[in-house]
Protein backbone atom coordinates (compact mmCIF):
# COMPACT_ATOMS: atom_id res chain seq x y z
CA UNK A 1 0.00 0.00 0.00
CA UNK A 2 1.25 3.46 -0.81
CA UNK A 3 0.24 6.37 1.31
CA UNK A 4 1.34 9.93 1.82
CA UNK A 5 0.10 13.30 2.91
CA UNK A 6 1.11 14.92 -0.36
CA UNK A 7 -0.25 14.74 -3.86
CA UNK A 8 2.59 12.51 -4.98
CA UNK A 9 0.93 9.26 -3.99
CA UNK A 10 2.65 7.16 -6.64
CA UNK A 11 6.10 7.54 -5.15
CA UNK A 12 5.00 7.74 -1.52
CA UNK A 13 6.17 4.98 0.73
CA UNK A 14 6.56 6.66 4.08
CA UNK A 15 4.68 6.12 7.29
CA UNK A 16 2.23 8.86 8.22
CA UNK A 17 0.23 9.41 11.40
CA UNK A 18 -3.40 8.35 11.14
CA UNK A 19 -5.69 11.20 10.05
CA UNK A 20 -8.16 12.34 12.75
CA UNK A 21 -11.62 11.75 11.30
CA UNK A 22 -15.24 11.74 12.47
CA UNK A 23 -17.18 10.98 9.28
CA UNK A 24 -16.34 8.68 6.37
CA UNK A 25 -18.10 9.05 3.01
CA UNK A 26 -17.76 6.17 0.56
CA UNK A 27 -18.30 6.22 -3.21
CA UNK A 28 -20.40 3.43 -4.75
CA UNK A 29 -19.44 2.44 -8.34
CA UNK A 30 -15.84 1.23 -8.40
CA UNK A 31 -15.32 1.60 -4.63
CA UNK A 32 -18.04 -0.32 -2.77
CA UNK A 33 -19.47 -2.32 -5.65
CA UNK A 34 -18.12 -3.72 -8.89
CA UNK A 35 -21.03 -2.59 -11.05
CA UNK A 36 -19.28 -2.54 -14.44
CA UNK A 37 -20.58 -5.91 -15.71
CA UNK A 38 -24.23 -5.01 -15.13
CA UNK A 39 -23.82 -1.46 -16.46
CA UNK A 40 -22.22 -2.94 -19.60
CA UNK A 41 -24.84 -5.68 -19.89
CA UNK A 42 -27.60 -3.04 -19.79
CA UNK A 43 -25.78 -0.76 -22.25
CA UNK A 44 -25.44 -3.63 -24.72
CA UNK A 45 -29.12 -4.59 -24.36
CA UNK A 46 -29.93 -0.93 -25.15
CA UNK A 47 -27.62 -0.94 -28.20
CA UNK A 48 -29.26 -4.16 -29.41
CA UNK A 49 -32.75 -2.61 -29.08
CA UNK A 50 -31.52 0.41 -31.07
CA UNK A 51 -29.95 -1.79 -33.77
CA UNK A 52 -26.47 -0.55 -32.93
CA UNK A 53 -23.29 -2.65 -32.51
CA UNK A 54 -22.36 -3.95 -29.05
CA UNK A 55 -19.31 -2.65 -27.16
CA UNK A 56 -16.82 -4.40 -24.88
CA UNK A 57 -17.22 -4.32 -21.11
CA UNK A 58 -13.78 -2.62 -20.93
CA UNK A 59 -14.99 0.21 -23.15
CA UNK A 60 -18.21 0.74 -21.20
CA UNK A 61 -16.27 0.52 -17.93
CA UNK A 62 -14.33 3.60 -19.04
CA UNK A 63 -17.66 5.45 -19.48
CA UNK A 64 -18.64 5.03 -15.80
CA UNK A 65 -18.23 7.95 -13.43
CA UNK A 66 -20.49 10.86 -14.30
CA UNK A 67 -23.89 9.27 -13.88
CA UNK A 68 -26.31 7.27 -16.01
CA UNK A 69 -27.15 10.00 -18.55
CA UNK A 70 -23.48 10.55 -19.32
CA UNK A 71 -22.94 6.79 -19.57
CA UNK A 72 -25.70 6.56 -22.19
CA UNK A 73 -24.32 9.56 -24.13
CA UNK A 74 -20.83 8.03 -24.12
CA UNK A 75 -22.17 4.64 -25.20
CA UNK A 76 -24.10 6.22 -28.11
CA UNK A 77 -21.22 8.39 -29.35
CA UNK A 78 -18.18 6.28 -28.41
CA UNK A 79 -16.64 9.47 -26.97
CA UNK A 80 -16.34 10.85 -23.45
CA UNK A 81 -17.66 14.35 -24.11
CA UNK A 82 -19.66 14.27 -27.36
CA UNK A 83 -23.41 15.02 -27.53
CA UNK A 84 -25.50 12.39 -29.33
CA UNK A 85 -28.43 13.27 -31.56
CA UNK A 86 -31.12 14.57 -29.17
CA UNK A 87 -33.89 12.34 -30.55
CA UNK A 88 -31.66 9.24 -30.33
CA UNK A 89 -30.70 10.09 -26.75
CA UNK A 90 -34.36 10.70 -25.83
CA UNK A 91 -35.20 7.24 -27.12
CA UNK A 92 -32.15 5.50 -25.65
CA UNK A 93 -32.24 6.77 -22.05
CA UNK A 94 -35.53 5.13 -20.96
CA UNK A 95 -34.50 1.90 -22.71
CA UNK A 96 -31.23 1.91 -20.79
CA UNK A 97 -32.97 2.70 -17.49
CA UNK A 98 -35.40 -0.18 -17.96
CA UNK A 99 -32.63 -2.66 -18.72
CA UNK A 100 -30.51 -1.50 -15.81
CA UNK A 101 -33.48 -1.67 -13.43
CA UNK A 102 -33.95 -5.29 -14.56
CA UNK A 103 -30.25 -6.18 -14.27
CA UNK A 104 -29.03 -4.17 -11.29
CA UNK A 105 -27.42 -6.96 -9.35
CA UNK A 106 -26.92 -9.87 -11.74
CA UNK A 107 -23.12 -9.70 -11.45
CA UNK A 108 -22.69 -6.78 -9.03
CA UNK A 109 -20.84 -7.64 -5.81
CA UNK A 110 -18.94 -5.79 -3.07
CA UNK A 111 -15.19 -5.68 -3.70
CA UNK A 112 -12.89 -7.67 -1.38
CA UNK A 113 -12.40 -5.85 1.93
CA UNK A 114 -15.62 -3.83 1.65
CA UNK A 115 -17.77 -5.76 4.11
CA UNK A 116 -14.87 -6.25 6.57
CA UNK A 117 -13.74 -2.65 6.12
CA UNK A 118 -17.18 -1.21 6.80
CA UNK A 119 -17.51 -3.42 9.87
CA UNK A 120 -14.14 -2.19 11.18
CA UNK A 121 -15.13 1.45 10.54
CA UNK A 122 -18.50 0.97 12.26
CA UNK A 123 -16.89 -0.69 15.27
CA UNK A 124 -14.45 2.21 15.52
CA UNK A 125 -17.43 4.59 15.74
CA UNK A 126 -17.20 6.54 12.47
CA UNK A 127 -20.40 8.03 11.05
CA UNK A 128 -20.81 6.53 7.56
CA UNK A 129 -22.30 8.07 4.41
CA UNK A 130 -22.49 6.90 0.81
CA UNK A 131 -22.07 9.49 -1.96
CA UNK A 132 -22.57 8.39 -5.55
CA UNK A 133 -23.25 9.94 -8.94
CA UNK A 134 -25.61 7.05 -9.67
CA UNK A 135 -29.30 8.01 -9.84
CA UNK A 136 -31.24 7.34 -6.64
CA UNK A 137 -33.70 4.97 -8.37
CA UNK A 138 -30.77 2.56 -8.84
CA UNK A 139 -28.63 3.39 -5.81
CA UNK A 140 -31.11 2.43 -3.11
CA UNK A 141 -32.24 -0.96 -4.55
CA UNK A 142 -28.62 -1.84 -5.33
CA UNK A 143 -27.40 -1.08 -1.81
CA UNK A 144 -30.34 -3.09 -0.46
CA UNK A 145 -29.68 -6.05 -2.78
CA UNK A 146 -26.03 -6.20 -1.72
CA UNK A 147 -26.77 -5.84 2.01
CA UNK A 148 -25.02 -2.48 2.35
CA UNK A 149 -27.96 -0.09 2.70
CA UNK A 150 -28.25 -0.34 6.51
CA UNK A 151 -24.56 0.40 6.95
CA UNK A 152 -25.00 4.08 6.01
CA UNK A 153 -26.70 6.79 8.04
CA UNK A 154 -27.21 8.84 4.87
CA UNK A 155 -27.03 8.07 1.15
CA UNK A 156 -26.71 10.85 -1.44
CA UNK A 157 -27.18 9.95 -5.10
CA UNK A 158 -26.36 11.87 -8.28
CA UNK A 159 -29.85 13.38 -8.39
CA UNK A 160 -30.39 13.94 -4.64
CA UNK A 161 -29.08 17.52 -4.81
CA UNK A 162 -28.84 20.11 -7.64
CA UNK A 163 -25.15 19.26 -8.18
CA UNK A 164 -23.15 16.04 -8.07
CA UNK A 165 -19.42 15.18 -7.85
CA UNK A 166 -16.98 16.64 -8.91
CA UNK A 167 -18.93 19.56 -7.42
CA UNK A 168 -18.35 19.64 -3.63
CA UNK A 169 -22.08 20.17 -2.91
CA UNK A 170 -22.90 16.61 -1.73
CA UNK A 171 -19.77 16.48 0.47
CA UNK A 172 -20.58 19.84 2.08
CA UNK A 173 -24.12 18.58 2.67
CA UNK A 174 -22.73 15.55 4.52
CA UNK A 175 -20.40 17.72 6.65
CA UNK A 176 -23.38 19.85 7.72
CA UNK A 177 -25.58 16.78 8.27
CA UNK A 178 -23.10 15.40 10.81
CA UNK A 179 -22.10 18.82 12.17
CA UNK A 180 -18.48 18.07 11.18
CA UNK A 181 -15.72 20.33 9.89
CA UNK A 182 -14.50 19.33 6.39
CA UNK A 183 -11.08 18.37 7.79
CA UNK A 184 -12.82 15.82 10.06
CA UNK A 185 -14.34 14.11 7.03
CA UNK A 186 -12.78 11.58 4.65
CA UNK A 187 -14.06 10.48 1.24
CA UNK A 188 -12.97 7.10 -0.08
CA UNK A 189 -13.44 6.89 -3.85
CA UNK A 190 -12.02 5.62 -7.11
CA UNK A 191 -12.00 8.55 -9.52
CA UNK A 192 -11.07 12.08 -10.45
CA UNK A 193 -14.63 13.13 -9.53
CA UNK A 194 -14.00 12.02 -5.96
CA UNK A 195 -10.55 13.64 -5.71
CA UNK A 196 -11.73 16.99 -7.14
CA UNK A 197 -14.90 17.09 -5.02
CA UNK A 198 -13.01 16.27 -1.81
CA UNK A 199 -10.29 18.84 -2.38
CA UNK A 200 -12.91 21.50 -3.24
CA UNK A 201 -14.85 20.70 -0.05
CA UNK A 202 -11.69 20.70 2.09
CA UNK A 203 -12.11 17.02 3.01
CA UNK A 204 -9.48 14.27 3.02
CA UNK A 205 -9.60 11.73 0.19
CA UNK A 206 -8.30 8.19 -0.20
CA UNK A 207 -8.55 6.35 -3.52
CA UNK A 208 -8.77 2.64 -4.25
CA UNK A 209 -6.83 1.33 -7.27
CA UNK A 210 -9.37 -1.30 -8.39
CA UNK A 211 -12.16 1.03 -9.58
CA UNK A 212 -12.94 2.84 -12.81
CA UNK A 213 -11.59 6.42 -12.98
CA UNK A 214 -12.92 6.76 -16.55
CA UNK A 215 -10.13 4.59 -17.94
CA UNK A 216 -7.28 6.62 -16.39
CA UNK A 217 -4.56 5.63 -13.92
CA UNK A 218 -5.60 6.19 -10.31
CA UNK A 219 -2.02 7.13 -9.44
CA UNK A 220 -2.51 10.38 -11.41
CA UNK A 221 -5.03 11.52 -8.82
CA UNK A 222 -4.37 14.14 -6.16
CA UNK A 223 -5.39 12.14 -3.10
CA UNK A 224 -4.02 11.67 0.42
CA UNK A 225 -3.49 7.93 0.02
CA UNK A 226 -4.05 5.06 -2.34
CA UNK A 227 -5.49 2.19 -0.29
CA UNK A 228 -5.77 -1.35 -1.60
CA UNK A 229 -9.05 -1.99 0.24
CA UNK A 230 -11.50 -0.32 2.61
CA UNK A 231 -10.04 -2.50 5.36
CA UNK A 232 -6.63 -0.94 4.68
CA UNK A 233 -8.24 2.52 4.79
CA UNK A 234 -9.55 1.79 8.29
CA UNK A 235 -5.94 1.44 9.47
CA UNK A 236 -4.94 4.93 8.29
CA UNK A 237 -7.53 6.89 10.25
CA UNK A 238 -8.26 7.54 13.91
CA UNK A 239 -11.57 8.58 15.39
CA UNK A 240 -12.05 12.05 16.80
CA UNK A 241 -14.99 12.72 19.10
O1 LIG B 1 -22.86 6.51 -11.70
C1 LIG B 1 -21.70 6.76 -12.04
O2 LIG B 1 -21.38 7.05 -13.21
C2 LIG B 1 -20.59 6.73 -11.02
O3 LIG B 1 -21.04 6.58 -9.72
P1 LIG B 1 -20.02 6.74 -8.47
O4 LIG B 1 -20.05 8.20 -8.13
O5 LIG B 1 -20.67 5.87 -7.42
O6 LIG B 1 -18.69 6.24 -8.88
MG1 LIG C 1 -16.79 5.65 -8.36
Amino acid sequence: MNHSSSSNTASADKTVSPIAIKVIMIDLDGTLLDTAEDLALSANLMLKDLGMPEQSTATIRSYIGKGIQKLVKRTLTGQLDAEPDAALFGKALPIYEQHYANNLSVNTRPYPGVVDGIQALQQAGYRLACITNKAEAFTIPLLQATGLFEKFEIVLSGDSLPKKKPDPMPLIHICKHFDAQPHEVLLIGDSLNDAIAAKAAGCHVFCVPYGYNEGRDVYELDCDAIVDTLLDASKLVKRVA
Side-chain angles (χ1 to χ4, degrees), residues 114-126 230-231 234-235:
V114 163
V115 173
D116 292 356
I118 288 178
Q119 196 180 358
L121 294 172
Q122 274 186 320
Q123 280 169 357
Y126 296 100
L230 290 197
L231 193 57
S234 71
K235 296 169 191 158

Side-chain angles (χ1 to χ4, degrees), residues 27-31 39 63-68 71 131-135 165 190-191 193-194 212:
D27 167 67
L28 192 153
D29 297 84
T31 304
L39 287 163
Y63 297 160
I64 303 169
K66 293 204 162 50
I68 297 292
L71 178 77
I131 301 188
T132 175
N133 279 353
K134 202 175 204 70
K165 300 175 292 182
D190 70 319
S191 78
N193 300 315
D194 300 305
Y212 308 139

Side-chain angles (χ1 to χ4, degrees), residues 88-116:
L88 176 64
F89 177 66
K91 189 176 170 194
L93 183 61
I95 295 176
Y96 182 85
E97 288 173 335
Q98 189 59 56
H99 284 307
Y100 193 45
N102 293 339
N103 294 287
L104 264 181
S105 54
V106 178
N107 298 298
T108 293
R109 304 284 179 270
Y111 286 103
V114 163
V115 173
D116 292 356

Side-chain angles (χ1 to χ4, degrees), residues 43-107:
N44 277 321
L45 288 170
M46 174 195 78
L47 289 169
K48 200 168 165 220
D49 287 352
L50 295 170
M52 295 173 71
E54 289 196 4
Q55 297 180 20
S56 70
T57 300
T59 299
I60 294 170
R61 190 183 145 101
S62 72
Y63 297 160
I64 303 169
K66 293 204 162 50
I68 297 292
Q69 299 209 5
K70 199 77 179 171
L71 178 77
V72 170
K73 287 184 179 183
R74 289 170 168 179
T75 303
L76 292 175
T77 61
Q79 291 176 51
L80 289 183
D81 285 313
E83 277 297 318
D85 173 76
L88 176 64
F89 177 66
K91 189 176 170 194
L93 183 61
I95 295 176
Y96 182 85
E97 288 173 335
Q98 189 59 56
H99 284 307
Y100 193 45
N102 293 339
N103 294 287
L104 264 181
S105 54
V106 178
N107 298 298

